[in-house]
Amino acid sequence: GVSVVTKTMPSNEMTLESVKDYYGKVLHTSKDLKTSACTASGRPHPVVAKVIRSIPKEVREKFYGCGAPLPLGIEGRSVLDLGSGSGRDCYAAAALVGPTGSVVGIDMTAEQLAVARAHADQYCKSLGYDHCNLKFVEGYIERLEEAGIEANTFDLVISNCVVNLSPDKPRVLREVYRVLKQGGEFYFSDVYCDRRLPKHVQEHQVLWGECIAGALYTNDFIRYARQAGFGDPRILSSAPIEVHDPELKAVVGEAKFFSITYRLFKLPEGMLETLCEDYGQAVRYKGTIKGMEYSYMLDDHHLFEKGKLSLVCGNTAGMLGENGVSWLAPHFEIIGDR
Ligand SMILES: C[S@@+](CC[C@H](N)C(=O)[O-])C[C@H]1O[C@@H](n2cnc3c(N)ncnc32)[C@H](O)[C@@H]1O
């Protein structure tokens, strides 16, 4: 069962120290990685790609993400990045939220934080901001409270190739749920597996550091997410990851790995049901998100064209703004109730 998998892992502290060492001392740039897991990122949206081009080189060179968890339409929003590393996604988010929004990155590795902090003020100046809206905090994603991150404070939590490295993933999900505002969203990319990995794979330190050995079996992830309060997790995108190195391939065998971007909404009790139900509701996208003027993609099976009426289940209506709760509410008209 799920609890057996957790028990067979090396001690949590050992895992954290070994990951810290990997990202602080072993790796210097993304070229040092042995698998494509941490760099499997698909091409970001053109609006995001343009922002990324203006980010300082040192920050970009130490990017180890496996996706592009940067939602559009986040002007004025508060964003938290779990395991922010050298800060690439935080820098991009700082530009996307604009001067009235704010971004906090949290990471446990001093060397990564130093790079992230070194360029922040200058970068904010380059964006023309009076105050820097970008802050980096040292701490563990399993213990956000200890790092001074309070409940109900963020519109969005993002993360890029980090949760797989955590020895206590259910706790990370509970912490994210706690710090999100009602109507907020955990929008994040990570590595997943098509099965539960056996003990000898989980204990392989290089494979753990490379974001492979700690990959959750997708169905276990969904179970943990639901237990933490995130009903109805949605997949935005999914791409296979190859383990090319023959020695590492021999350890993982036939296990298949994927980089997946999930969207988990925090909505009031009862709004997200375990199964989708049809209440005869419909939604209309207003076309108001910059970069998505013609259509909005909620997940891999929901694309809403501007101005077109679409029938949706209650869960989808909730995610898009039923009762004005979701952060997406300003961009959608919701027709009908439950
Ligand atoms: C694969 S890198 C990704 C970094 C960054 N998100 C990016 O896309 O470049 C993983 C990062 O997560 C951090 N990390 C891993 N486990 C952590 C934990 N339990 N608490 C805080 N940070 C953690 C590491 O220090 C490292 O900087």
Side-chain angles (χ1 to χ4, degrees):
V2 178
S3 55
V4 177
V5 173
T6 313
K7 266 190 220 146
T8 57
M9 292 209 305
S11 97
N12 291 2
E13 289 308 315
M14 265 169 57
T15 304
L16 292 171
E17 284 312 308
S18 142
V19 170
K20 231 186 243 184
D21 194 62
Y22 205 64
Y23 286 94
K25 306 208 163 52
V26 178
L27 300 178
H28 298 290
T29 74
S30 32
K31 292 196 186 84
D32 300 328
L33 291 162
K34 291 186 174 53
T35 73
S36 68
C38 293
T39 48
S41 32
R43 200 170 292 185
H45 185 284
V47 169
V48 175
K50 187 167 173 234
V51 165
I52 289 174
R53 282 196 289 276
S54 69
I55 294 173
K57 189 163 171 262
E58 193 188 11
V59 169
R60 280 187 284 122
E61 278 179 355
K62 288 179 185 286
F63 168 67
Y64 304 122
C66 58
L70 288 156
L72 295 179
I74 60 173
E75 294 84 358
R77 299 291 180 178
S78 52
V79 178
L80 171 68
D81 183 7
L82 302 184
S84 42
S86 65
R88 192 200 79 163
D89 291 338
C90 288
Y91 279 63
L96 295 171
V97 297
T100 58
S102 60
V103 180
V104 176
I106 179 166
D107 204 288
M108 65 178 182
T109 305
E111 290 86 345
Q112 292 274 78
L113 280 165
V115 175
R117 284 174 175 153
H119 305 274
D121 284 341
Q122 187 55 38
Y123 177 72
C124 286
K125 276 194 195 121
S126 78
L127 294 174
Y129 297 173
D130 292 337
H131 302 285
C132 193
N133 66 351
L134 185 53
K135 190 172 99 178
F136 292 96
V137 179
E138 184 162 3
Y140 295 95
I141 60 173
E142 298 82 1
R143 291 179 250 154
L144 297 178
E145 195 160 18
E146 258 176 36
I149 298 176
E150 288 170 14
N152 308 312
T153 42
F154 290 94
D155 296 302
L156 288 140
V157 176
I158 61 171
S159 183
N160 204 343
C161 217
V162 176
V163 180
N164 71 83
L165 294 167
S166 170
D168 192 349
K169 296 158 178 77
R171 185 164 172 180
V172 173
L173 288 163
R174 289 196 297 274
E175 275 293 82
V176 173
Y177 192 85
R178 187 181 65 81
V179 304
L180 275 174
K181 288 182 195 167
Q182 195 67 271
E185 182 187 350
F186 188 22
Y187 182 112
F188 75 114
S189 308
D190 203 5
V191 179
Y192 296 87
C193 190
D194 68 344
R195 65 196 70 191
R196 291 177 184 149
L197 289 166
K199 188 171 184 279
H200 73 276
V201 177
Q202 290 194 32
E203 286 178 348
H204 195 290
Q205 282 200 14
V206 172
L207 277 175
W208 189 282
E210 292 272 330
C211 300
I212 291 288
L216 270 183
Y217 167 46
T218 40
N219 282 349
D220 282 344
F221 166 72
I222 291 167
R223 291 185 178 101
Y224 292 149
R226 288 185 189 277
Q227 281 161 14
F230 295 109
D232 201 1
R234 297 284 175 96
I235 290 179
L236 179 62
S237 59
S238 173
I241 289 170
E242 300 296 335
V243 178
H244 292 298
D245 183 292
E247 250 174 70
L248 298 180
K249 174 76 189 153
V251 181
V252 298
E254 281 304 312
K256 306 277 182 298
F257 298 89
F258 304 89
S259 166
I260 303 180
T261 300
Y262 272 102
R263 305 189 67 166
L264 311 183
F265 287 82
K266 175 175 172 177
L267 292 172
E269 182 87 41
M271 200 180 252
L272 294 178
E273 299 184 79
T274 51
L275 296 170
C276 288
E277 299 293 348
D278 177 10
Y279 295 93
Q281 291 168 293
V283 300
R284 202 190 321 254
Y285 175 48
K286 298 178 185 171
T288 40
I289 293 180
K290 196 174 152 243
M292 293 178 165
E293 286 82 2
Y294 308 110
S295 61
Y296 184 82
M297 194 177 215
L298 173 67
D299 58 38
D300 61 0
H301 56 290
H302 286 99
L303 180 80
F304 299 99
E305 289 182 29
K306 180 192 171 188
K308 183 175 166 183
L309 207 58
S310 311
L311 295 175
V312 291
C313 69
N315 286 359
T316 298
M319 292 175 202
L320 297 178
E322 184 180 12
N323 299 338
V325 185
S326 164
W327 74 275
L328 286 167
H331 305 290
F332 286 87
E333 186 188 343
I334 312 289
I335 297 122
D337 53 20
R338 301 197 190 193

